[in-house]
Amino acid sequence: RMKSVSIDPQSSVPKYSQLREILLDLIDAELAYDALIPSERELVDRYGLSRMTVRQAINHLVAEGRLYRIAGKGTFVARPKVEMPLRLTSFTEDMLARGQRPGSRDLERRVGAAGGQVAKGLGLSPGDPVHMMVRLRTADEVPMAVERSYIPVLVAPGLDDVTLTDRSLYAILEERFGIELDHGEQTIEAGIVDPDDAVLLELRPGSAVLLVERRAFAEGRPVELTVSAYRGDRYQLHVGLDAPRLPATQSPGPTRSGGDGHG
Ligand code: GLP
């Protein structure tokens, strides 16, 4: 069904919000990413809105990561957000799967003593040696995430001599150390970008990030603990949902839930 493509001045929906919807429909229907959207002037004329209202709608879409601005050039359609994978894949694999060129820059590499939290996460004793690395991850040269990883030295001795610039950590673990990660766990929460990370990620101070903490294991041994800050304007998380198990309606009496081996 065609949506109305004009602004309804009677509506209780604010005008900038109506324009936002119109622009979203336009993006979906006819604009590819990196396409230039109509100028503020054109939108003002086409929809009979004030310049301020038009700017407000565009600002929202920029903040949501749907549009981006280039000074002096105009406003463009952003790429769709990256779906945060829910499998034990590497950043390199994820970007290649999207047809983008993965990049990695070593910001910090050292061997140090595991602090309490890191030791706990990796099944070590505090003070045990760990490789610590901070990496900036890029996709087609655009900064996407800052990742802080810890790997027990015992698991990958000599990893500190290997450059990770534009390389995949997981590929190196596999090729050089024969480590095949077989399962992992991940916690994702909302966060505000750390001031130093903001500069690296080209975000304004106070921007949203997705904080992802991953532990990855091989044969039951923790291999990696990584805390990543992913750009909130570039990532989203989508999950399928199962309905909760309905109580068995046919059989009155207690439901067959606990203690029957289902987990
Ligand atoms: C993702 C995970 C990290 C992991 C990385 C490995 O970004 N969040 O925990 O260390 O992938 O990626 P790569 O093999 O490309 O270095």
Side-chain angles (χ1 to χ4, degrees):
R1 196 178 323 132
M2 274 294 279
K3 279 203 181 172
S4 102
V5 287
S6 58
I7 303 290
D8 175 2
Q10 257 37 284
S11 168
S12 61
V13 178
K15 287 181 190 154
Y16 78 84
S17 188
Q18 294 185 50
L19 179 60
R20 176 185 164 278
E21 290 285 331
I22 291 173
L23 290 173
L24 282 174
D25 287 344
L26 185 74
I27 293 171
D28 282 348
E30 46 189 281
L31 295 178
Y33 60 76
D34 295 333
L36 184 66
I37 68 158
S39 69
E40 285 186 11
R41 182 79 261 155
E42 284 173 76
L43 294 170
V44 164
D45 293 345
R46 196 184 300 178
Y47 297 103
L49 295 168
S50 73
R51 192 141 195 151
M52 216 180 77
T53 303
V54 167
R55 199 162 290 164
Q56 199 178 359
I58 293 176
N59 284 346
H60 265 257
L61 291 166
V62 169
E64 288 168 59
R66 300 301 303 259
L67 297 176
Y68 64 95
R69 286 195 175 95
I70 299 182
K73 292 215 169 135
T75 305
F76 301 83
V77 178
R79 269 177 179 264
K81 286 193 183 183
V82 180
E83 225 15 276
M84 174 117 355
L86 293 174
R87 297 184 312 127
L88 190 52
T89 51
S90 71
F91 182 86
T92 301
E93 291 167 320
D94 296 341
M95 291 308 126
L96 290 176
R98 273 170 66 83
Q100 293 193 260
R101 194 172 60 259
S104 182
R105 205 169 94 204
D106 282 348
L107 300 173
E108 197 184 323
R109 295 285 305 276
R110 63 196 172 89
V111 171
Q117 291 304 309
V118 170
K120 195 169 155 205
L122 290 173
L124 302 172
S125 304
D128 283 353
V130 285
H131 297 291
M132 302 178 176
M133 53 207 99
V134 183
R135 298 187 296 155
L136 177 67
R137 311 309 304 264
T138 57
D140 292 337
E141 316 304 328
V142 176
M144 302 296 268
V146 176
E147 304 203 287
R148 296 181 168 79
S149 305
Y150 305 87
I151 294 182
V153 168
L154 271 181
V155 164
L159 176 63
D160 42 327
D161 293 333
V162 182
T163 175
L164 288 171
T165 303
D166 293 337
R167 304 279 315 272
S168 160
L169 173 64
Y170 282 7
I172 288 168
L173 287 176
E174 187 164 341
E175 289 155 17
R176 234 175 103 165
F177 300 96
I179 297 169
E180 280 189 55
L181 297 170
D182 49 32
H183 79 282
E185 55 177 39
Q186 193 156 284
T187 305
I188 302 171
E189 62 183 322
I192 296 296
V193 69
D194 168 278
D196 293 337
D197 290 357
V199 178
L200 295 164
L201 292 172
E202 296 170 12
L203 291 175
R204 290 191 183 181
S207 298
V209 286
L210 284 172
L211 295 175
V212 177
E213 179 172 321
R214 176 184 290 190
R215 289 202 300 157
F217 303 78
E219 291 167 346
R221 270 181 106 188
V223 168
E224 169 203 18
L225 171 69
T226 294
V227 180
S228 312
Y230 285 86
R231 281 174 61 161
D233 61 344
R234 300 305 304 132
Y235 275 85
Q236 66 182 17
L237 184 65
H238 175 90
V239 288
L241 300 177
D242 290 330
R245 242 193 293 170
L246 297 170
T249 43
Q250 317 84 317
S251 57
T255 51
R256 295 183 348 111
S257 47
D260 60 357
H262 289 277

